[in-house]
Amino acid sequence: MSNIKITCIIVDDEPMALNLVESYVEKTPFLALKKKCSSAIEALEFIKNEPVDLLFLDIQMPDLTGIAFSKMVPKETRIIFTTAFDQFALEGFKVEALDYLLKPFDYAEFLEAANKASKWFSLTKGSQQSNVSDEKEFLFVKSEYKQLRIKLDNVLYFESLKDYIKIWLKDNPKPILTLMSLKLLEDELPSSKFMRVHRSFIVALKNIEVIERSQIIINKQRITVSEQYKTDFLQFINNNSFNS
């Protein structure tokens, strides 16, 4: 088990749920509770002044939902959703939640989610110096005699076309075309955000909308996960699954 201490807050508008999760946090040695909040607005004010590593976050709350709040927190702060409703699993996936605890959950289920957080922080905090590529936020690519700055957050997927690559972006119906090999591009991209799933495709993991058998759907485009990359992709799915 990692020696890293994970700071956290609990956000839930139900007092009984707050107290239950607090009792679970207190018996988990690697978690350090900083605050209990009865609303997302209260939590937002708190983390502005005192950032934390992890949120145990309810989804259905008045004024500001957990999903809306999760999009406002710093990217370094990770989230474990706690909710009585399973229909929000896809939304949780899109905001890159570490886990999704379905109420009522016991301490064993809580500890499994907390251990997942511990593993994640051990890997990231323990190797921040060596994972420079994971911090990359943009690429410069040459297209039509110009060097274009491509924000990685805007990328849907990369598609290989012989010696060229099509870069498909959000809110842009036409791709950017650049002369580059997909292998070279793969080495340059942060592996936590992008995955090669086919000899012709690299996808932005957070923009996956639907997974249907061996196909990914991103922005209405169907992309087949080939056998060569299926093992790594299934591992990614298992690590981010909210199904019990």
Side-chain angles (χ1 to χ4, degrees), residues 90-101:
L90 180 59
E91 288 298 318
F93 172 76
K94 285 184 177 180
V95 297
E96 300 179 355
L98 287 177
D99 214 336
Y100 187 100
L101 288 168

Side-chain angles (χ1 to χ4, degrees), residues 13-48:
D13 63 325
E14 299 175 4
M16 288 183 63
L18 272 177
N19 293 334
L20 179 65
V21 177
E22 180 184 24
S23 71
Y24 289 168
V25 169
E26 287 178 346
K27 65 172 72 173
T28 307
F30 56 85
L31 294 178
L33 182 63
K34 293 298 182 182
K35 189 173 177 61
K36 295 189 300 180
C37 300
S38 59
S39 74
I41 294 172
E42 180 186 1
L44 187 60
E45 287 300 313
F46 179 80
I47 64 174
K48 281 181 182 178

Side-chain angles (χ1 to χ4, degrees), residues 10-159:
I10 307 165
V11 190
D12 202 308
D13 63 325
E14 299 175 4
M16 288 183 63
L18 272 177
N19 293 334
L20 179 65
V21 177
E22 180 184 24
S23 71
Y24 289 168
V25 169
E26 287 178 346
K27 65 172 72 173
T28 307
F30 56 85
L31 294 178
L33 182 63
K34 293 298 182 182
K35 189 173 177 61
K36 295 189 300 180
C37 300
S38 59
S39 74
I41 294 172
E42 180 186 1
L44 187 60
E45 287 300 313
F46 179 80
I47 64 174
K48 281 181 182 178
N49 300 314
E50 189 172 343
V52 295
D53 298 318
L54 181 65
L55 304 178
F56 291 97
L57 180 60
D58 187 24
I59 291 181
Q60 284 207 324
M61 293 182 290
D63 299 324
L64 184 65
T65 69
I67 293 292
F69 172 51
S70 69
K71 297 174 182 178
M72 302 177 186
V73 302
K75 63 181 181 179
E76 297 83 8
T77 301
R78 302 313 304 268
I79 294 166
I80 294 175
F81 283 118
T82 61
T83 181
F85 303 93
D86 60 4
Q87 67 264 35
F88 298 107
L90 180 59
E91 288 298 318
F93 172 76
K94 285 184 177 180
V95 297
E96 300 179 355
L98 287 177
D99 214 336
Y100 187 100
L101 288 168
L102 193 60
K103 297 176 182 177
F105 52 87
D106 58 22
Y107 180 63
E109 293 171 298
F110 174 89
L111 185 59
E112 184 178 354
N115 280 332
K116 186 181 290 187
S118 178
K119 181 179 179 181
W120 190 90
F121 282 109
S122 295
L123 290 172
T124 54
K125 289 188 175 183
S127 59
Q128 284 176 345
Q129 296 300 317
S130 60
N131 287 338
V132 175
S133 63
D134 279 357
E135 299 170 6
K136 187 174 293 185
E137 296 181 355
F138 60 87
L139 290 173
F140 277 102
V141 299
K142 189 174 182 180
S143 181
E144 297 180 352
Y145 306 103
K146 290 183 268 188
Q147 290 283 347
L148 303 180
R149 185 176 185 267
I150 306 297
K151 289 185 66 176
L152 293 182
D153 278 350
N154 289 338
V155 174
L156 294 170
Y157 57 91
F158 300 93
E159 180 182 2

